[in-house]
Amino acid sequence: MSLAHTPQRFALRGLGAHTHAPGLLLTGQDVASAGVSGAIMGCVVAASAALERDALQDIATA
């Protein structure tokens, strides 16, 4: 089950790749947005957090 795709969802400050557990990152649609494209962007957000750089910029210049 995922978060409801409502305006309130996008106001949540706790959504993102980082967790309170050291070294544990989240990925998937609830990290960014709903659906398949949201899941892909969730992966990019997690990759950016793991690499400590903008992975979307890496993709754009590849």
Side-chain angles (χ1 to χ4, degrees), residues 1-37:
M1 177 172 277
S2 65
L3 297 172
H5 197 66
T6 63
Q8 292 80 14
R9 165 211 176 105
F10 295 101
L12 295 174
R13 294 280 182 201
L15 294 180
H18 294 282
T19 67
H20 294 293
L24 178 63
L25 298 172
L26 301 177
T27 186
Q29 73 175 16
D30 285 332
V31 170
S33 185
V36 173
S37 59

Side-chain angles (χ1 to χ4, degrees), residues 22-56:
L24 178 63
L25 298 172
L26 301 177
T27 186
Q29 73 175 16
D30 285 332
V31 170
S33 185
V36 173
S37 59
I40 293 168
M41 286 308 298
C43 293
V44 173
V45 169
S48 295
L51 298 171
E52 297 181 346
R53 66 174 193 250
D54 187 355
L56 191 57

